[in-house]
Amino acid sequence: MLNRNDNLFVSDFDMMMEKKKAERKRSMSRRKKDVTDIINSSDDRIMYMISQMKEAAEEDRRLNQAGQAAVNKLGLLKLVIIQLNKHDLQNAFIDCGILPVLAEWLSPLPDNSLPHITIRTEILKILQIYPQINTDMLKQSKLGRVVMGLYKNSKERFSNREVARKLIHTWRGPYSD
């Protein structure tokens, strides 16, 4: 077969290969767009969940000040744990600002009572599997201070105090002793 552009012979095989290359290029650009859409969609979902967590913490503080049971965080906990356990999203959660929210969820309520034991236990477990969190993040989010407070609190369950101790040791590094 003759190519119309330069009157050279082009086989059917070469034409099929050119078509395949063109299809592959279109497919690759479409895939890149899809990956970007997925990432943006994940970030949007993460930000929505973080805003729900903030609202639940604020409502629990308000209820606690009014002398009522603070149960909003507990109601949202199952969903939060499922999402935070997704290893492929852990860095995205950190980038979107989950650490200050986790600090808020672990912080004592206005009457100085600790949040529900299930909340404390589950969040401490989650923190153990998260990628290395640097000291600047801990200071900025106040998460390090809150975990240290749980470690030092005599009302905290021994198993949670032990997890908090391990986290603090991990965050400080092996040479801090």
Side-chain angles (χ1 to χ4, degrees):
M1 177 174 264
L2 288 176
N3 187 338
R4 292 184 186 153
N5 292 336
D6 50 7
N7 295 331
L8 296 175
F9 178 77
V10 178
S11 70
D12 290 340
F13 177 77
D14 290 337
M15 284 180 28
M16 287 189 316
M17 291 302 290
E18 287 298 319
K19 285 182 182 178
K20 285 289 187 191
K21 283 183 183 177
E23 287 175 12
R24 215 176 298 134
K25 282 183 181 178
R26 275 183 266 141
S27 174
M28 290 295 284
S29 66
R30 204 174 309 133
R31 265 190 244 139
K32 285 180 183 176
K33 183 179 183 275
D34 290 347
V35 168
T36 304
D37 289 346
I38 289 170
I39 291 170
N40 289 339
S41 148
S42 293
D43 284 352
D44 291 344
R45 286 184 292 170
I46 289 170
M47 294 305 292
Y48 178 72
M49 190 185 86
I50 288 174
S51 71
Q52 284 184 308
M53 290 175 71
K54 287 178 182 177
E55 288 173 16
E58 288 171 13
E59 183 63 17
D60 277 359
R61 287 195 174 286
R62 191 188 65 70
L63 288 170
N64 181 267
Q65 287 174 333
Q68 297 175 335
V71 294
N72 290 295
K73 291 187 291 191
L74 195 57
L76 193 57
L77 183 65
K78 186 175 180 180
L79 169 72
V80 168
I81 296 305
I82 290 170
Q83 295 302 317
L84 292 177
N85 270 317
K86 294 181 179 177
H87 292 283
D88 56 332
L89 294 178
Q90 289 177 345
N91 285 325
F93 272 111
I94 290 174
D95 293 342
C96 288
I98 194 69
L99 298 180
V101 180
L102 293 178
E104 178 71 21
W105 272 44
L106 290 173
S107 295
L109 295 167
D111 68 354
N112 284 332
S113 64
L114 293 173
H116 193 277
I117 184 68
T118 308
I119 294 170
R120 299 189 319 262
T121 302
E122 292 299 321
I123 291 178
L124 288 171
K125 279 185 203 174
I126 290 290
L127 289 172
Q128 287 181 300
I129 64 170
Y130 258 64
Q132 184 66 23
I133 300 170
N134 67 43
T135 54
D136 290 335
M137 291 176 179
L138 291 170
K139 287 178 184 176
Q140 190 175 15
S141 67
K142 297 189 170 80
L143 182 61
R145 180 177 294 167
V146 171
V147 171
M148 179 63 85
L150 290 176
Y151 169 65
K152 291 181 175 181
N153 193 323
S154 61
K155 295 177 185 175
E156 182 58 82
R157 192 181 273 181
F158 177 78
S159 58
N160 281 354
R161 289 175 70 184
E162 189 61 22
V163 171
R165 184 191 64 77
K166 288 178 184 175
L167 283 169
I168 292 163
H169 181 74
T170 301
W171 292 335
R172 282 186 177 167
Y175 304 106
S176 64
D177 291 338

